[in-house]
Amino acid sequence: MEQPSRLAGSVRPGGRTARVRAAVLAATQDELVERGFHGLAMDQVATRAGVGKTTVYRRWGSPAGLVVDLMKELAEQFLAHADTGAVEGDLLASALSMVEALGDKRLGPTLEAMIAAATCDDQAALALRAFYARRIEVWAKAVGLAVERGELPMGTDGPEVVRAVSAPLYYRQVVIREPVTREDAERSVARTLAAARAGEFVVAGAGV
Amino acid sequence: MEQPSRLAGSVRPGGRTARVRAAVLAATQDELVERGFHGLAMDQVATRAGVGKTTVYRRWGSPAGLVVDLMKELAEQFLAHADTGAVEGDLLASALSMVEALGDKRLGPTLEAMIAAATCDDQAALALRAFYARRIEVWAKAVGLAVERGELPMGTDGPEVVRAVSAPLYYRQVVIREPVTREDAERSVARTLAAARAGEFVVAGAGV
């Protein structure tokens, strides 16, 4: 149950406040993975984190407050866009990091629990949206570079290309419930790029 | 609360057993929409359906049993593939029916509740998978016709094309939580067809 947490090491050391946040977010993620959003209880998070209940209630307010802060922290992790010099390589790197995230024993169930929570909780939905907005923003830089290099038409919408690469991977894992593989990532990139080269992601008035 | 049910009229009349099933599935869908899968209780479904609790327990066994049967029934509804004579029109009709389903006041929340349930319940996941497998199978016929007419390359994988059209719509609604529109459906079809015409959906050994 008490696995070493990815979060524990990733929050920069910064005195007691930062240590409390790291412990509480790690415990929140543990509870989400084990019980889902509906099973997330403030008291259990406090106990698991070894932090006073009053502190957790005062600082995070509710289970939704906990997951909002967790998603904010996760959005900043593993976040770098590849720069392989070619758009295929850059997008494939993004797609493979999605496959890895969905298959990861901690991050995968966390994302699925958040997707489930977002279907019935507005704060969870906002947290999830902010998480993906941040990743899409970073990964879309590869499309900007591809346009500069002449690999894709002027005006190609970067965030839309990244969303199109992501969509089949999430659809397969979350909706039709089949595991996603490296091959799915490769296919999604190839298909999206074929459409992008044909100008299907050009937005009127963009990129000028 | 007691809205007229889509299900009530769609199960063929067939005596008491069919009437009981229709009432129980309509009540299951009502409860799913209002409370989600985690709030689905056998007793409440029985009360709402006006059916004895013993009958509901004996025939469906568990909340998972109820949603499995509900998804089986829903899979057979609204199920016809368009035959407009051109692949764009056929796929757009499928995509628009997905947009309509996701935006429908009863069916949309039902699908979202099932997607949420499937993240943590294996029987719900199987029910969801069977639901989409059935729809994809029917809609994929349009791709077979397109290959026969020479609109798409030989060996184009029909179910994969349908999944590619669907993926951005579900991704937008369920993962990044933005409403899907007719424009999203049109874009998804145009992008998928651009990739399909470029041969990106041809599977080795298929369609021969």
Side-chain angles (χ1 to χ4, degrees):
Chain A
M1 293 293 178
E2 292 289 341
Q3 309 154 314
S5 165
R6 279 184 181 236
L7 269 173
S10 64
V11 175
R12 276 177 297 283
R16 188 172 145 65
T17 306
R19 282 199 309 276
V20 165
R21 179 171 179 249
V24 168
L25 295 188
T28 299
Q29 194 173 6
D30 287 334
E31 291 286 313
L32 259 188
V33 169
E34 286 174 26
R35 294 172 215 278
F37 180 71
H38 288 278
L40 194 64
M42 303 291 279
D43 289 6
Q44 253 163 330
V45 168
T47 305
R48 190 161 199 158
V51 167
K53 289 176 190 177
T54 324
T55 305
V56 176
Y57 278 98
R58 202 179 46 226
R59 197 151 155 207
W60 285 276
S62 67
L66 286 169
V67 302
V68 168
D69 201 24
L70 173 65
M71 293 311 285
K72 203 172 140 191
E73 176 59 29
L74 290 176
E76 298 304 323
Q77 290 182 20
F78 324 104
L79 198 63
H81 79 98
D83 192 357
T84 65
V87 68
E88 280 93 343
D90 289 0
L91 289 179
L92 186 60
S94 307
L96 288 174
S97 90
M98 285 175 231
V99 170
E100 199 191 321
L102 286 168
D104 184 88
K105 276 192 185 129
R106 257 175 86 75
L107 191 54
T110 304
L111 293 176
E112 295 214 22
M114 287 302 301
I115 289 167
T119 63
C120 57
D121 184 283
D122 288 344
Q123 277 192 274
L126 282 174
L128 193 67
R129 213 165 145 175
F131 173 81
Y132 287 108
R134 180 83 182 102
R135 307 213 137 196
I136 289 166
E137 178 199 343
V138 171
W139 284 332
K141 288 176 190 162
V143 176
L145 294 173
V147 172
E148 281 174 29
R149 283 191 300 255
E151 293 179 286
L152 292 176
M154 284 281 285
T156 297
D157 184 326
E160 269 295 280
V161 169
V162 174
R163 282 191 282 261
V165 169
S166 315
L169 308 176
Y170 279 88
Y171 178 73
R172 187 172 288 270
Q173 170 100 13
V174 179
V175 179
I176 59 175
R177 312 258 8 129
E178 290 174 6
V180 291
T181 62
R182 186 187 171 90
E183 203 177 13
D184 294 315
E186 287 167 354
R187 280 185 190 147
S188 185
V189 170
R191 289 166 184 173
T192 303
L193 280 178
R197 289 192 191 107
E200 293 291 350
F201 287 88
V202 173
V203 178
V208 191
Chain B
M1 291 291 177
E2 294 287 339
Q3 307 153 314
S5 166
R6 277 181 181 240
L7 269 172
S10 63
V11 174
R12 274 176 299 282
R16 189 172 144 65
T17 306
R19 281 200 308 276
V20 165
R21 178 169 179 251
V24 168
L25 295 188
T28 300
Q29 193 171 8
D30 287 335
E31 291 286 314
L32 259 188
V33 168
E34 286 173 26
R35 295 172 215 278
F37 180 71
H38 289 278
L40 195 64
M42 305 290 279
D43 289 5
Q44 254 163 329
V45 168
T47 305
R48 190 162 198 156
V51 167
K53 290 177 189 178
T54 323
T55 305
V56 176
Y57 278 98
R58 201 178 47 224
R59 195 149 157 208
W60 286 276
S62 66
L66 286 170
V67 302
V68 168
D69 200 25
L70 173 64
M71 294 310 286
K72 201 171 140 191
E73 175 58 28
L74 290 177
E76 298 304 323
Q77 290 183 19
F78 322 104
L79 198 63
H81 80 97
D83 192 357
T84 65
V87 69
E88 280 95 343
D90 288 1
L91 289 179
L92 186 60
S94 307
L96 288 174
S97 91
M98 284 175 231
V99 170
E100 199 191 322
L102 287 168
D104 184 87
K105 275 188 185 131
R106 259 175 85 77
L107 191 53
T110 304
L111 293 175
E112 295 214 20
M114 287 303 301
I115 288 168
T119 64
C120 56
D121 185 282
D122 288 345
Q123 275 192 276
L126 282 174
L128 194 66
R129 212 164 145 175
F131 173 81
Y132 287 109
R134 181 84 182 99
R135 305 213 138 197
I136 289 167
E137 178 199 343
V138 172
W139 285 332
K141 288 176 191 162
V143 176
L145 294 173
V147 172
E148 281 174 28
R149 283 190 301 254
E151 293 179 286
L152 292 176
M154 283 282 285
T156 297
D157 183 326
E160 268 295 279
V161 169
V162 174
R163 282 192 281 261
V165 168
S166 314
L169 307 177
Y170 279 88
Y171 178 73
R172 187 172 288 269
Q173 170 100 11
V174 179
V175 179
I176 59 175
R177 311 253 14 123
E178 290 174 7
V180 291
T181 62
R182 185 187 172 92
E183 204 177 12
D184 294 315
E186 288 168 354
R187 282 185 189 146
S188 186
V189 169
R191 290 166 183 173
T192 302
L193 280 178
R197 289 193 191 106
E200 293 291 349
F201 288 89
V202 173
V203 177
V208 191

